Structure formats: C-alpha cells, structure tokens
C-alpha cells in the first residue's frame, strides 16, 4: 500500500544506516569539530574529523534526529575515512547538487550509496535533513583549510 | 445535534485532497482552519468598507471604525471581560506577552525581584521573561512538571514569595494539552502580591473563558487558533493596571496631544495600539467568536471530549506508541503528543502527509518540555470542532504505515 514516493524515500539502505549508524562515536584525536543543528526540527549532529595533511585520517559523528539526517551522516562518514580533502569537498558539492534536483548528479557513480538518498529531493521540507552532515563537512573543511594555510588546495 | 461533518463543510480548506487523499487536518494547536463566515466577512470588509479607523469623518472610515470596535466588543464578550476597553488588539499571543513584559515589566521589576513561569510554557511565554529578567536583573524561576506533564504545585507556597512580582502561566499546554489549574495558581500568586498573566493561546479556543472568574490580571490569546485570521490577537488586562502602565510602542493612534518634547497618551486601550491596526483581522476575529458562539461552545466542548476519548482509545492500541501528557482525559485538552517505536517524529509526519494526514512534528516551541521527557521531538495530533472519528481512523491507519516502514 506504500506509495512509490515513500518507498523511494525510505529505502532499505537508509533505514539500515538509521538503525545501525556507522562511525557514531566520539573521536578522541579530532582536529576539527562542527556542531550543526536544524532548529526547525531539532536534528543535530557533531561531526568530528582528524585531518592529517591533505586528507581526513578519521571521521566520526554523534547526534540525533530523523532517519534521513542520521542515515545521510552515517553514509557520508563511510566515504570520508582516508579521503583527500579536495575529493571530500567535491563529494559534498555533488551530493548537494543531487539534493537540489540535479539529475546528472543523481546519476553520478562517484556518489555511490549516497544515491539512495536521491528520493529525498522530492520532499522539499526534508532536503535540509539530508544536507545536515554535508553542510557540517563543508564547514569543517573551510575552517581547517583556513587554519592549515590551504594545504588541501583551493576548496572554493 | 452537533454534527461535525456539517461543521466541516463550513471550512473550504478542509475540502481538498493532499497527495491524492482527502485532507485530514490534525494540526489545530498550531493554527485552525477558517470558516466561510470569517472569510466572507474579510472579503466584504475589503470590498466595501476598507478605510482607516478613528481617523476620518467620511462614510467608509465610519463604517470601518464601527465594525472594528464592534469586534472588540465581541471578543470582550468571549472572555467575559467586564469592560471592552480592557481589550487591546495585538498581533497575537506573542505580542501580547511581550507588551506586558515591556510596558509593565521594565517599570515594575528590579534586581532581586522574581518572575515565575513553568517548564510547560511555549517559548513565547518564556523568552520575553528571559529578556526582561536580563534587562532588570530580576530572577526567572520555574514551576516543574511531573512525569505526566502536570505542574508540580506541592511547593507552590514556598516558590511564591514576596519577591515574586509576576507569575506567567498557560491555561492549556500546546505541547501536551495539560490543563493547568490557573485559578488556584492565581489565588496563591495574589496572596503574595504578584501580578498574574495567563497565556490563553490554547485555552480560549475550545471554550469561553471567564477572566473575572479566573481572577488573573492579564490574559493573552490569538485569533488564528480560534477560526480567525492570522496576525490578530488580544491582550486583556485589568483597567487599573493598564492605566498605570507606560505605552508599548509610540506612533499614531496612541497619542492625546503631541508637543515637541513631550506628549500625552490616549486612553486605554488606544494607548497600546500605535499605528494602523490589523483592522480586517480584528473584524475577522470578531466573526470567528460569533461563529463559535452560534455553534454553541458547550456543543463544541462536548464534541472535542468525545473525539479525545475516541482518539486516545484508538491510539493506545497502536503497538510501540508512547503518549506524553496527563493520563486522565479530564486534565487534558484536545492534543495528543506521541512517539512511535524508533521512528523519528519527522518521519512519522512525512509518512502521514503522504496519506493526506497533517500532524505536527518537532519540539512545538516547548523545548523545555522535550528536555523533561528526554526526547528531541514528538509528533502531535490536535483536534478541533470539525475533527471526525473518521479523521482519527485515518491517523491510526497512517501510523500502521509508519510501523510497516520502521517496524
Ligand atoms: C500556549 C501558546 N502560547 C503562545 C503561542 C504563540 O501564539 P502566536 O504565535 O499566535 O503569537 C502559542 C502558539 O503556538 C501557544 O500554543
């Protein structure tokens, strides 16, 4: 009886990440932490990264919120372990494009599992939920690259 | 016989499909839908009588002024205000509370004085007092709630002291529906000489309020939650108090004589109504209380009780549901806040919305209540005069879908 839109929103992969979030723990040796919240709905995360030189050595998060926000962050962190800063930034931008309805982004294989979240783009009020983690990532990169003097290259 | 299906037909917005399903509107605690009786009055006002009030000799201005003041009188009747000049038009409950915090608070509070509110309050009955406390160095204190979301009043006598200058409390909680014993609290507050403001945003909508019987000093409520337009509301205050207060905003309409350095103020209520008011809104709010009165508030109340009993029964059957607030229906208004298994309230709301069922998900502007229960959000279904048992059934069916997806 479920509508096709709902099935595309709540894909098994998303529900699975919601129930068993990856990398959800405090990161002891973090070099940067970003607190992001969506005041309208109370979704909240703290994204913690250990950045070494030009890459993310480790990424973890803590937080609470709806299935979309928490699954998106969880999936994102799986992609960040060891990721180059420029690639991480490109991933965030590509994902944001997909959320804003860009169809070529939605077909972009570099997004991998994150494409499961494409259905969210059909629910305008939920797009912010999906972007919470990537918004935090972009904040973190800006902050960190600013501090280390652009080691990761020009992220803008 | 009160027939909610017939009442429902008075509300054009209820007659539509949402995501392919007939709309079930269960977000009434946020705002109510508007009956044709109100929409027609708004339309007629703008088409025929539109002019500024209290400013013109011409025919249209006279008509607008008469309708505007007649609305004041109707709304005064709705809360049994002894004198209609005690009814001040505001933008809503929020502005009414801010008006008191500023026009009364700044002159009457100083360091060491205390303001007493409760954990149950809507942010609009918390933040104005926080700001006032910071500006006057007064102390903000809270009444706590128990695990059913009821005010803990055992130690009321010790919380209230001769330093307590203001007690601001809601008569009905928007997040849990708890009905608070404001009459009792008012009596205790007056015993220590405190002023009492009642946030009636949820109280004045289901029933006629009697401010004289409550005994409070201020009563604030909004038009949009009782079938009226948005952007209009009321602060009722005792006349002696209003007369001693400073103005809230300065501008046209609120002055008596203006000189270069000093001016004198118009009498109450105009002293607090600077600028061109929401004339259509006021007239619409008057039409709304007429509409409710014509249906009969006792019938509306009885209907809501019946719907609540039905809804509570049906919702309690839903596996893994957790319902917040008083377990006794006598102690709650037509609001049910809940969570369901490990489905987040936003997900619940999205799934219900796809089924045409509108509920609110979030903290309901009551983050202190959410913290008390250790949740970040709840889903909330709130009922009104047009809610039917079929609406409740649709809600329960929708929750079945949530369980299918998240169970
Ligand atoms: C208990 C309570 N107080 C105050 C308010 C604020 O009312 P308004 O937004 O109409 O000013 C509300 C509305 O949500 C409410 O439910």
């Amino acid at each position: 009886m479920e509508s096709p839109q709902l099935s595309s929103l709540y894909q098994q992969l998303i529900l699975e990440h919601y129930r068993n979030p990856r990398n959800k723990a405090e990161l002891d040796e973090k070099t940067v932490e970003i607190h992001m919240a969506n005041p309208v709905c109370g979704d909240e995360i703290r994204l913690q990264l250990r950045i070494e030189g030009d890459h993310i050595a480790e990424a973890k998060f803590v937080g609470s919120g709806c299935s979309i926000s928490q699954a998106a962050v969880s999936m994102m962190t799986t992609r960040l372990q060891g990721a180059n800063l420029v690639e991480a930034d490109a991933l965030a931008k590509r994902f944001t494009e997909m959320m804003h309805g860009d169809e070529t982004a939605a077909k972009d294989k570099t997004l991998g599992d994150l494409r499961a979240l494409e259905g969210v783009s059909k629910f305008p009020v939920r797009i912010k939920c999906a972007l919470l983690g990537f918004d935090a990532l972009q904040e973190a990169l800006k902050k960190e690259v600013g501090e280390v003097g652009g080691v990761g290259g020009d992220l803008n | 016989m009160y027939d909610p299906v017939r009442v429902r037909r008075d509300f054009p917005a209820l007659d539509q499909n949402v995501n392919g399903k007939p709309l079930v509107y269960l977000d009434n605690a946020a705002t109510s839908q508007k009956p044709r009786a109100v929409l027609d009055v708004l339309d007629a006002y703008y088409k025929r009588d539109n002019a500024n009030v209290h400013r013109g000799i011409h025919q249209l201005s006279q008509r607008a002024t008469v309708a505007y003041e007649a609305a004041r009188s109707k709304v005064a009747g709705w809360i049994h205000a002894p004198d209609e000049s005690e009814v001040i038009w505001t933008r809503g409950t929020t502005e009414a509370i801010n008006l008191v915090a500023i026009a009364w608070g700044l002159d009457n509070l100083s360091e060491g004085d205390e303001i007493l509110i409760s954990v149950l309050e809507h942010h609009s009955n918390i933040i104005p007092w926080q700001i006032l406390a910071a500006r006057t160095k007064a102390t903000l204190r809270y009444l706590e709630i128990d695990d059913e979301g009821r005010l803990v009043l055992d130690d009321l006598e010790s919380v209230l002291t001769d330093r307590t200058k203001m007690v601001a409390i809601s008569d009905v909680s928007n997040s849990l529906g708890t009905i608070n014993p404001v009459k009792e609290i008012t009596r205790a507050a007056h015993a220590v000489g405190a002023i009492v403001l009642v946030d009636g945003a949820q109280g004045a909508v289901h029933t006629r309020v009697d401010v004289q019987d409550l005994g409070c000093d201020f009563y604030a409520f909004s038009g949009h939650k009782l079938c009226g337009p948005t952007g209009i509301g009321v602060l009722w205050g005792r006349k002696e108090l209003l007369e001693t207060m400073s103005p809230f905003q300065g501008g046209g309409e609120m002055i008596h004589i203006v000189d270069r350095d000093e001016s004198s103020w118009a009498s109450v209520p105009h002293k607090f109504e600077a600028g061109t008011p929401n004339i259509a809104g006021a007239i619409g709010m008057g039409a709304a209380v007429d509409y409710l009165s014509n249906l009969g508030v006792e019938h509306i109340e009885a209907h809501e009780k019946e719907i609540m009993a039905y809804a509570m029964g049906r919702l309690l059957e839903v596996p893994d549901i957790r319902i917040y607030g008083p377990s006794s229906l006598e102690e709650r208004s037509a609001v049910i806040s809940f969570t369901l298994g490990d489905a987040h309230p936003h997900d619940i709301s999205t799934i219900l919305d796809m089924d045409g069922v509108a509920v609110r998900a979030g903290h309901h502007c009551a983050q202190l209540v959410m913290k008390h229960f250790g949740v970040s959000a709840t889903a909330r279904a709130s009922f009104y005069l047009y809610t039917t048992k079929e609406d409740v059934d649709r809600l329960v069916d929708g929750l079945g879908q949530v369980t299918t997806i998240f169970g």
Side-chain angles (χ1 to χ4, degrees):
Chain A
M1 287 229 313
E2 223 173 284
S3 79
Q5 258 171 304
L6 273 185
S7 327
S8 84
L9 180 65
Y10 293 114
Q11 296 197 10
Q12 279 313 316
L13 189 61
I14 295 175
L15 295 171
E16 204 273 314
H17 271 268
Y18 175 54
R19 294 205 184 92
N20 307 299
R22 319 293 198 272
N23 305 305
K24 189 171 177 181
E26 296 278 349
L27 178 60
D28 293 336
E29 294 156 14
K30 56 186 175 262
T31 57
V32 58
E33 173 176 61
I34 298 292
H35 183 195
M36 273 276 163
N38 184 347
V40 182
C41 42
D43 290 345
E44 199 175 346
I45 56 148
R46 281 185 293 121
L47 177 69
Q48 306 175 335
L49 306 177
R50 190 171 83 249
I51 295 182
E52 289 174 357
D54 64 355
H55 70 281
I56 298 170
E58 210 175 348
K60 291 195 187 300
F61 79 103
V62 283
S64 66
C66 67
S67 62
I68 305 300
S69 69
Q70 302 304 301
V73 184
S74 167
M75 287 171 154
M76 176 186 86
T77 59
T78 64
R79 296 290 303 276
L80 295 183
Q81 315 299 332
N84 177 287
L85 297 186
V86 178
E87 282 164 18
D89 186 60
L91 186 71
K93 293 207 166 89
R94 204 69 179 131
F95 183 79
T96 306
E97 285 162 6
M98 178 176 79
M99 279 304 115
H100 291 145
D102 180 333
E103 284 174 17
T104 60
K107 295 199 183 86
D108 190 338
K109 293 211 169 59
T110 59
L111 284 172
D113 283 356
L114 287 163
R115 284 188 298 169
L117 287 155
E118 193 218 338
V120 181
S121 67
K122 308 284 184 314
F123 292 78
V125 295
R126 305 300 299 274
I127 292 172
K128 266 203 197 127
C129 307
L131 287 175
L132 195 67
F134 277 106
D135 285 349
L137 174 63
Q138 289 194 306
E139 270 301 296
L141 293 175
K142 251 187 225 144
K143 198 169 155 189
E144 196 69 353
V145 169
E147 279 164 15
V148 297
V151 170
D154 179 8
L155 299 183
N156 299 308
Chain B
M1 249 267 307
Y2 186 85
D3 179 6
V5 176
R6 217 181 57 217
V7 171
R8 211 188 142 93
R9 282 189 216 121
D10 292 340
F11 293 77
L14 294 175
D15 180 23
Q16 63 176 299
N17 283 355
V18 166
N19 291 318
K21 309 273 175 62
L23 169 65
V24 171
Y25 184 77
L26 301 180
D27 194 16
N28 294 286
T31 199
S32 67
Q33 296 302 339
K34 321 303 173 197
R36 216 169 267 109
V38 169
L39 301 175
D40 289 350
V41 162
L42 293 175
D43 196 46
Y45 166 74
Y46 278 123
K47 282 187 179 153
R48 219 184 45 218
D49 302 330
N50 176 52
N52 215 325
V53 289
H54 299 299
R55 290 187 190 176
I57 304 295
H58 62 80
Q59 179 64 231
L60 264 57
S61 175
Q62 284 184 44
R63 273 194 234 147
T65 305
V66 166
Y68 176 70
E69 290 303 330
R72 195 192 301 274
S73 164
K74 289 173 188 180
V75 172
W78 181 250
I79 55 169
H80 292 95
D83 180 341
E84 64 192 55
S85 69
E86 296 176 332
V87 167
I88 298 162
W89 294 118
T90 65
R91 218 154 43 77
T93 308
T94 304
E95 190 178 62
I97 298 172
N98 278 278
L99 190 162
V100 175
I102 289 170
W104 179 85
L106 287 178
D107 289 342
N108 286 283
L109 291 187
S110 52
E111 189 161 1
D113 287 341
E114 293 179 358
I115 303 163
L116 180 65
I117 61 175
S118 89
V119 167
L120 208 47
E121 301 313 306
H122 186 282
H123 295 163
S124 66
N125 197 28
I126 297 177
I127 310 300
W129 307 116
Q130 278 182 354
I131 295 172
L132 176 66
R135 283 173 74 172
T136 58
K137 299 199 168 62
T139 306
L140 189 57
R141 298 188 66 184
Y142 286 88
L143 287 170
E144 300 298 328
I145 51 176
D146 65 16
D147 56 9
E148 288 195 14
R150 298 171 301 196
L151 293 178
V152 176
L153 297 173
D154 304 342
D155 53 353
L156 183 61
E157 314 274 298
S158 64
V159 179
L160 288 167
T161 70
D162 56 6
R163 283 173 308 191
T164 314
K165 293 294 185 297
M166 167 59 74
V167 176
I169 233 83
S170 51
D171 49 3
V172 174
S173 144
N174 69 303
S175 57
L176 302 175
T178 316
I179 298 172
N180 296 321
V182 277
K183 193 170 169 180
E184 183 188 330
I185 296 170
T186 300
R187 216 181 292 121
H190 281 169
V192 298
I195 294 291
V196 176
L197 175 142
V198 175
D199 171 353
Q202 300 290 339
V205 304
H206 305 286
T207 175
R208 233 196 190 103
V209 169
D210 188 334
V211 290
Q212 299 182 66
D213 179 55
L214 284 180
C216 57
D217 302 291
F218 294 108
Y219 192 90
F221 63 114
S222 301
H224 68 94
K225 296 195 202 260
L226 48 73
C227 297
T230 53
I232 189 74
V234 163
L235 173 69
W236 170 83
R238 279 198 299 110
K239 196 154 190 180
E240 313 87 85
L241 217 67
L242 295 174
E243 280 173 343
T244 61
M245 281 160 55
S246 300
F248 171 48
Q249 293 172 331
E253 213 83 61
M254 56 76 70
I255 40 81
H256 179 44
I257 292 167
V258 175
D259 277 320
R260 284 190 177 224
D261 298 321
E262 242 180 359
S263 298
S264 54
W265 315 136
S267 55
V268 168
H270 306 292
K271 177 169 84 175
F272 298 105
E273 296 178 344
T276 299
N278 182 353
I279 304 165
I283 294 171
M285 187 168 175
V289 301
D290 272 352
Y291 174 79
L292 295 174
S293 302
N294 289 341
L295 283 177
V297 283
E298 63 288 355
H299 298 305
I300 296 174
E301 269 183 275
H303 170 68
E304 289 183 6
K305 278 216 167 81
E306 191 182 328
I307 285 292
M308 261 307 271
Y310 181 72
M312 198 56 107
R314 293 246 31 212
L315 286 175
L316 284 169
E317 291 166 9
V318 174
D320 292 332
I321 199 165
R322 181 176 169 202
I323 293 177
Y324 302 82
S327 53
S328 153
L329 290 184
E330 291 303 310
E331 292 176 272
R332 65 152 85 212
S333 177
V335 169
I336 302 181
S337 239
F338 62 94
T339 49
L340 186 56
D342 70 353
H344 191 278
H346 298 153
D347 294 314
I348 296 175
S349 184
T350 293
I351 294 166
L352 291 176
D353 186 49
M354 291 308 290
D355 239 357
V357 178
V359 300
R360 177 90 180 262
H363 53 59
H364 319 295
C365 297
Q367 291 190 14
L368 300 184
V369 174
M370 299 297 116
K371 284 188 182 133
H372 176 84
F373 288 105
V375 293
S376 59
T378 66
R380 180 187 72 185
S382 49
F383 314 121
Y384 207 18
L385 69 165
Y386 38 63
T387 308
T388 61
K389 289 184 178 165
E390 290 68 36
D391 290 341
V392 174
D393 293 339
R394 292 269 309 278
L395 167 66
V396 174
D397 291 347
L399 293 178
Q401 290 239 37
V402 176
T403 307
T404 309
I405 295 173
F406 279 89

